[in-house]
Amino acid sequence: MSDGTATTTDLDVRLEKHRVELTGYCYRMLGSSFEAEDAVQDTMVRAWRSYDKFEGRSSLRSWLYRIATNVCLDMLTAGNKRARPMDLTESTPLAHAALSPRPDNTWLEPMPDNRVLPTTDDPAEAAVAKESVRLAFMAALQQLPPKQRAVLILREVLAWKASEVAELLGTTVASVNSALQRARATLAEQQQPGGDAAVSDPLDDEQQKLLDRYVAAFEGYDMTALTALLHEDAIMTMPPFDLWLTGARDITGFMTTLGAPCAGSHLVPVQVNGLPGFAQYKPDPEKGGFVPWAVQVLEISDGRITGFHCFLDTQRWFPLFDLPLRLEAEADQVEEGV
């Protein structure tokens, strides 16, 4: 190997130190939790196999980002753009609500914070990282061509210099600056429903009280209390279904009709996409206890819930969040161990 000192174990350790930040980068590029993890694994394998050719002209971190970028660009050549329901269809009135699923590769996917947000002592850096994995920003990124996406993430999220990005992409500083300008213009034009949530890090007292009231209202299936927490233009989505609803009346109306089996659910807090969220367990009428139903992601602003996003493919999401696929009736006791 090039430095003559790196043993197999040493190299594994050095590569693994970068896994979380690389996963965050690939997730922002691809919009898919599982594709991001696959891309990082491919990056690690390529780095391992070609390490003897790594001449150290750049840092190991920069070299890994170059490999990861190439992996992501290769994966994006198919042109698939991950989306949210409101990126694809108009809002549906409750009276016309129909649950029409679309394929998994249609949807922007949720991601646990601990898989994409490296630990940092810098509050400003942590805030930028969280904001850059929120669903609205992730959806906006999907509107950019792949190379503009890479430039924007590297420059604006990871704070790379234009010269460093130019070297990584094998292009000029002028080209990088031009791509960044075009990417910024595209994002500025985006009018994203359910836009950026104003969430403190950590949650302030008012936001925590809002979440506590939400848990009480949802677990009690108290639609009056829930209505008081929802913004008048709140949005509810339920991938893999393309249906999305707007406003407290339609959201609570859905919950008491098609969503009525969710009454009596139990919520377990999760940290997801830089936002507060919950794993929702629905009562199991056959065996008792609770079974997985959704990973909920909440967007909040000005003391109200503005976005209520339920990802229903629990056989995929709950293992990703290290959540059990069943809770017994003593739910509160189990929650302490989750």
Side-chain angles (χ1 to χ4, degrees):
M1 293 188 178
S2 60
D3 61 7
T5 60
T7 66
T8 298
T9 302
D10 290 338
L11 182 55
D12 285 342
V13 170
R14 292 175 67 197
L15 294 177
E16 282 300 318
K17 286 180 180 178
H18 300 282
R19 182 176 291 274
V20 172
E21 64 171 309
L22 287 172
T23 304
Y25 176 61
C26 293
Y27 176 60
R28 295 179 185 98
M29 284 290 291
L30 301 170
S32 164
S33 319
F34 297 105
E35 286 185 2
E37 296 204 326
D38 288 346
V40 172
Q41 194 56 35
D42 191 2
T43 297
M44 295 298 189
V45 170
R46 292 190 191 190
W48 220 101
R49 288 175 176 169
S50 59
Y51 186 74
D52 58 342
K53 299 175 185 175
F54 173 53
E55 298 174 351
R57 287 194 298 252
S58 62
S59 68
L60 178 64
R61 179 174 181 256
S62 297
W63 184 60
L64 288 171
Y65 269 94
R66 181 180 296 114
I67 298 171
T69 300
N70 290 331
V71 170
C72 290
L73 292 177
D74 287 345
M75 293 174 74
L76 288 167
T77 53
N80 180 50
K81 293 181 180 179
R82 298 277 175 161
R84 302 171 301 168
M86 53 275 213
D87 302 320
L88 302 177
T89 65
E90 295 298 321
S91 179
T92 307
L94 178 60
H96 301 119
L99 297 178
S100 304
R102 296 202 187 192
D104 289 340
N105 64 3
T106 305
W107 303 116
L108 184 64
E109 297 178 345
M111 183 64 116
D113 285 0
N114 62 6
R115 290 181 181 254
V116 292
L117 299 178
T119 303
T120 175
D121 295 328
D122 183 340
E125 186 179 314
V128 169
K130 280 197 168 187
E131 289 169 7
S132 68
V133 293
R134 289 179 181 161
L135 295 174
F137 183 77
M138 290 286 297
L141 283 177
Q142 295 292 300
Q143 304 305 312
L144 300 175
K147 285 195 175 179
Q148 284 186 29
R149 203 179 303 176
V151 168
L152 185 89
I153 295 167
L154 290 166
R155 291 282 285 118
E156 304 253 301
V157 177
L158 301 177
W160 284 39
K161 297 176 182 176
S163 57
E164 294 171 329
V165 177
E167 182 179 354
L168 182 146
L169 294 174
T171 187
T172 64
V173 169
S175 177
V176 166
N177 289 336
S178 176
L180 179 60
Q181 194 171 24
R182 293 196 303 275
R184 285 172 173 166
T186 299
L187 293 193
E189 292 169 2
Q190 299 289 324
Q191 294 296 322
Q192 296 290 332
D196 285 337
V199 181
S200 301
D201 183 23
L203 297 177
D204 62 32
D205 288 344
E206 290 303 312
Q207 291 168 344
Q208 188 57 59
K209 287 176 183 176
L210 175 64
L211 291 184
D212 293 343
R213 290 167 63 200
Y214 169 76
V215 171
F218 193 95
E219 292 188 339
Y221 233 57
D222 182 339
M223 295 302 120
T224 300
L226 190 60
T227 296
L229 305 180
L230 293 173
H231 189 276
E232 61 182 8
D233 296 322
I235 287 170
M236 179 181 183
T237 68
M238 292 162 284
F241 301 114
D242 58 14
L243 170 74
W244 61 285
L245 301 166
T246 306
R249 178 176 295 180
D250 277 2
I251 291 172
T252 57
F254 179 89
M255 291 174 65
T256 53
T257 54
L258 291 174
C262 290
S265 288
H266 180 67
L267 300 182
V268 175
V270 294
Q271 297 298 314
V272 51
N273 285 86
L275 293 164
F278 297 93
Q280 178 191 344
Y281 288 86
K282 188 173 69 168
D284 184 345
E286 295 181 3
K287 298 180 181 178
F290 300 84
V291 291
W293 183 246
V295 170
Q296 301 180 359
V297 185
L298 301 187
E299 294 170 321
I300 59 179
S301 182
D302 296 328
R304 291 289 185 270
I305 295 169
T306 57
F308 173 46
H309 307 290
C310 303
F311 294 88
L312 303 183
D313 191 353
T314 54
Q315 294 301 311
R316 300 174 77 215
W317 304 131
F318 276 51
L320 184 72
F321 283 80
D322 297 321
L323 291 162
L325 291 176
R326 178 172 186 81
L327 292 183
E328 299 307 325
E330 299 79 19
D332 290 340
Q333 182 178 357
V334 175
E335 179 186 341
E336 293 178 7
V338 170

